[in-house]
Amino acid sequence: GAVVSQHPSRVICKSGTSVKIECRSLDFQATTMFWYRQFPKQSLMLMATSNEGSKATYEQGVEKDKFLINHASLTLSTLTVTSAHPEDSSFYICSASPQGAAYGYTFGSGTRLTVV
Amino acid sequence: GQQLNQSPQSMFIQEGEDVSMNCTSSSIFNTWLWYKQDPGEGPVLLIALYKAGELTSNGRLTAQFGITRKDSFLNISASIPSDVGIYFCAGLASGTYKYIFGTGTRLKVLA
């Protein structure tokens, strides 16, 4: 089955530093990947759509200069949280679909970011 | 962003009991998905529904695509402790590739 790998699973960083999160589709190619953010006991909120070879599209209210997305290959998308602050602490999850939107998306295992 | 309303928000049940939860929207959807999320993990797809009125099973799980296309239901029969987790519905409208997720139903099973 389709597997999406996310790394790291947990990261703690100091306020003001940048953190990169990787999302890989292991057994399929993904021209589109999605990045979500999830606060404790809340639902998944779509942050941005990552498009291979072109700019990401961001949801309303998401700062594109703060959350940099790079989708340089058909199997890798990265999310970089720049100049992280404690309020950026959250669970970040990526997803992709091997067969198209109608068949649902496979999610990565998530990255717990803690900014201290 | 927009979210779908799920009910109940949380529930405690005894092992062996059946569970029902639902998801409602003000918009019509063409696809409904149900996911389960364990603590500290990403959601895992349980069931996908594509047609109004459709009833689909996956083991002890049964989900239905509401006839109005504005709701969906998930039933879990004979619950077991590993059913603990958060269940999310997700809807896909026509002409879009972005799913809208529900607010989640947190299930706790008492052995």
Side-chain angles (χ1 to χ4, degrees), chain A:
Chain A
V3 178
V4 174
S5 173
Q6 200 171 329
H7 179 80
S9 57
R10 289 178 178 272
V11 58
I12 300 173
C13 71
K14 290 186 176 180
S15 188
T17 62
S18 294
V19 173
K20 182 185 283 189
I21 302 169
E22 292 186 348
C23 180
R24 294 181 186 273
S25 55
L26 295 188
D27 49 3
F28 66 97
Q29 293 182 331
T31 55
T32 303
M33 292 185 175
F34 301 91
W35 287 96
Y36 294 82
R37 185 173 181 175
Q38 186 178 32
F39 289 107
K41 298 188 178 181
Q42 293 192 21
S43 187
L44 291 83
M45 297 302 296
L46 180 65
M47 298 174 65
T49 303
S50 173
N51 303 298
E52 188 267 336
S54 65
K55 291 183 181 179
T57 53
Y58 291 80
E59 295 300 300
Q60 192 173 5
V62 178
E63 299 176 59
K64 60 182 179 181
D65 294 332
K66 179 161 191 62
F67 298 101
L68 299 179
I69 290 173
N70 187 317
H71 195 149
S73 79
L74 286 171
T75 58
L76 174 63
S77 174
T78 60
L79 169 68
T80 301
V81 183
T82 63
S83 186
H85 290 285
E87 57 266 30
D88 298 324
S89 298
S90 190
F91 193 54
Y92 293 88
I93 319 174
C94 67
S95 72
S97 174
Q99 296 179 290
Y103 296 93
Y105 290 103
T106 300
F107 283 85
S109 55
T111 297
R112 171 75 58 195
L113 170 63
T114 303
V115 185
V116 297

Side-chain angles (χ1 to χ4, degrees), chain B residues 61-100:
Chain B
L61 278 62
T62 301
Q64 185 165 24
F65 193 137
I67 201 75
T68 65
R69 296 168 63 194
K70 292 184 178 181
D71 55 9
S72 180
F73 309 89
L74 177 69
N75 295 311
I76 304 172
S77 62
S79 57
I80 59 178
S82 61
D83 290 334
V84 165
I86 306 174
Y87 292 81
F88 289 105
C89 62
L92 184 69
S94 174
T96 181
Y97 56 85
K98 298 181 189 177
Y99 281 90
I100 297 172

